[in-house]
Amino acid sequence: MRFGVLAVCAVLLGSHAVLQARQWERLEGCEYFEGIYSDGDSIEVRRDGKHYVFRLYFVDCVEKNPASRSRRRTQGQYFGLKASEGTPLRAAYLAKNYTRDKLREPFAVLTRWQLVDPDGDNPAVRAFVETAGGGDLATLLVSEGLAIIRHGETAVADHPNGRGSREISADLRKAEAEARTRKSGAWGL
């Protein structure tokens, strides 16, 4: 009896691990699409005749949307930018252009299909984006001084490759410190 219970528990735990592993989906051969949601941290994608909008885990880029002036001002303050000079908008376009350039070649998206705004109109789902060269787009943006590190509950996740969110956050903070020292991207505006 005891062996039977242990066997059932082992099967259930194994099944749970398999289900958990299946939560992540890797989409290969993604193509960048310039659309209304496209900016530094939101990527519109075409793949197999479908259109998707993905938002990067861990980072936020300055908004380019004219309706987001207040948020853009706050985001610019993260980099020490003054809204009156228009530099936050410049930072937004630097990030958007950087993302577009990094995703010129087919890339991969890793997602669990977690909606960014389940109750709103934003169709984006959270994801990690891997460039054709194998780089993590969020890390690249932070390294170039073009992204704000986010630690909110929904903005972070353990990576499907096994890296924990604390390790990822630590690496991003290190990359940010180096970018700030070099005055890269928005840090130098």
Side-chain angles (χ1 to χ4, degrees):
M1 172 79 170
R2 191 172 206 191
F3 177 75
V5 170
L6 289 175
V8 169
C9 287
V11 169
L12 289 175
L13 287 174
S15 297
H16 182 269
V18 170
L19 287 174
Q20 212 168 17
R22 287 184 186 167
Q23 286 182 343
W24 285 102
E25 187 173 345
R26 182 178 179 91
L27 307 175
E28 296 281 351
C30 294
E31 295 178 8
Y32 180 84
F33 172 76
E34 186 85 27
I36 61 169
Y37 297 102
S38 301
D39 62 15
D41 64 331
S42 293
I43 297 97
E44 293 192 54
V45 170
R46 283 190 179 150
R47 182 178 178 271
D48 294 336
K50 295 180 182 171
H51 177 252
Y52 304 97
V53 180
F54 295 105
R55 170 95 43 93
L56 297 175
Y57 279 111
F58 287 94
V59 298
D60 189 23
C61 293
V62 179
E63 298 295 324
K64 67 175 181 61
N65 185 333
S68 301
R69 283 186 186 97
S70 173
R71 185 162 181 226
R72 182 170 47 243
R73 184 173 36 257
T74 301
Q75 291 168 323
Q77 289 171 350
Y78 182 89
F79 295 103
L81 304 177
K82 296 179 181 165
S84 61
E85 298 170 2
T87 50
L89 187 58
R90 186 168 165 215
Y93 277 94
L94 286 172
K96 176 187 169 294
N97 293 339
Y98 182 84
T99 292
R100 183 190 61 224
D101 291 345
K102 282 294 177 188
L103 301 180
R104 285 192 189 278
E105 296 179 42
F107 55 94
V109 171
L110 295 98
T111 185
R112 291 187 298 187
W113 303 102
Q114 175 192 14
L115 290 172
V116 170
D117 184 15
D119 300 322
D121 296 338
N122 189 336
V125 295
R126 296 253 178 228
F128 291 99
V129 172
E130 186 179 291
T131 66
D136 174 69
L137 183 59
T139 303
L140 294 169
L141 283 162
V142 171
S143 295
E144 292 298 317
L146 299 172
I148 299 163
I149 301 170
R150 290 288 183 225
H151 298 283
E153 187 176 307
T154 60
V156 298
D158 291 340
H159 197 281
N161 71 3
R163 290 184 69 221
S165 61
R166 287 184 183 182
E167 180 184 356
I168 295 168
S169 290
D171 290 347
L172 290 172
R173 285 191 300 276
K174 181 180 177 192
E176 179 182 78
E178 292 169 0
R180 187 181 304 149
T181 298
R182 290 190 320 269
K183 296 193 182 315
S184 295
W187 297 110
L189 294 178

